[in-house]
Amino acid sequence: MAEQDVFAALEAEGDDVDRMVAELDDAGWRTPTPAEGWTVAHQIAHLTATFRMAGLAAADPDGFKALMSRMSGDFDANVNAAMAPYLAEAPAALLARWREERTLAEKALAAVPAGQPVPWLVRPLPAPVLAAAGMMELFGHGQDIADALGVRRRRTDRLRPLVEFAVRTWDFGYLARGLEVPSSTFRFVITAPSGAIWYFGPPDAEQIVNGTAEDFCLLVTRRRHRDDLSLKAIGAEAHHWLDIAQAYRGPAGPGRRPGQFATT
């Protein structure tokens, strides 16, 4: 991926999320989302905390490492603790904090010299890869907000950095469940919103996943059940992968039920 392209895509994806919440009243911020126990405010608070960490990692690596050293081994506890100060804010203040942390993170990531790694939760990452991880967060939590508010999001080819990130992290579903990562190589054939075809993996791979970029991203963020998507698999391991795919290292969570949403 071109480095500037992923930073521009990150900003544009964030703008789309912002537009969904910019005019909400207090009741709108309290709207439940498909993530059990999470309102729209929870989703934005989580994104705010995530972007704060990304901005800190890019601009002040030592400060980020100090923050990480204070975290516990309990993933859910860490998530809740990171969100807490933002959830305590009134909606207008939360919106302002979200915009502030987003802007700081976008600028800090784009300013990292090419080839310089940025410390992150599991291991250091190149800034463009961390930006793509940010797109994954925006896509997933933005979808929760869209589902809660009845918004149909318009997808563009800026999904490519997220697709590339999901291909790069194809083994996360196995790791999150303590499963052995197969030695099989995978081929991903993804149709972009524009109709272009994106190919990843060796052409002679026996395990193949193909489908649209939007459905692929909905799968790897676990915002739709595979039964409600148009993705196809060739090979037993590829079929299994559609059941466990995720582009993040935390617990898999319950995901979404088959038929939970009328449309994808």
Side-chain angles (χ1 to χ4, degrees), residues 108-131:
L109 286 167
V112 174
Q116 178 176 306
V118 177
W120 196 235
L121 303 178
V122 177
R123 60 180 178 270
L125 298 173
V129 177
L130 185 50

Side-chain angles (χ1 to χ4, degrees), residues 208-228:
I208 303 170
V209 172
N210 65 68
T212 67
E214 180 174 13
D215 280 7
F216 186 74
C217 293
L218 287 167
L219 180 82
V220 299
T221 56
R222 295 182 60 76
R223 263 51 187 192
R224 292 292 186 272
H225 191 276
R226 65 170 289 183
D227 290 355
D228 295 329

Side-chain angles (χ1 to χ4, degrees), residues 237-250:
E237 203 58 64
H239 277 285
H240 181 224
W241 187 84
L242 292 182
D243 288 326
I244 65 171
Q246 65 182 73
Y248 53 92
R249 280 295 295 269

Side-chain angles (χ1 to χ4, degrees), residues 189-211:
V189 182
I190 307 299
T191 303
S194 66
I197 307 297
W198 300 332
Y199 298 96
F200 308 92
D204 60 349
E206 295 182 355
Q207 307 299 319
I208 303 170
V209 172
N210 65 68

Side-chain angles (χ1 to χ4, degrees), residues 26 39 44 48 53 88 96 143 147 159 161-162 179 187 195 206 213-214 222 232 249 259:
D26 287 4
T39 63
I44 294 296
T48 304
M53 288 194 296
Q143 187 63 47
D147 289 333
L159 288 180
L162 172 49
L179 301 174
R187 174 77 160 171
E206 295 182 355
E214 180 174 13
R222 295 182 60 76
K232 305 296 181 185
R249 280 295 295 269

Side-chain angles (χ1 to χ4, degrees), residues 3 32 40 46-47 91 98 100-101 116 118 142 153 176 216 243:
E3 292 188 11
V40 170
H46 176 74
L47 287 171
W98 147 245
E100 177 186 9
E101 298 297 351
Q116 178 176 306
V118 177
R153 303 181 75 188
F216 186 74
D243 288 326

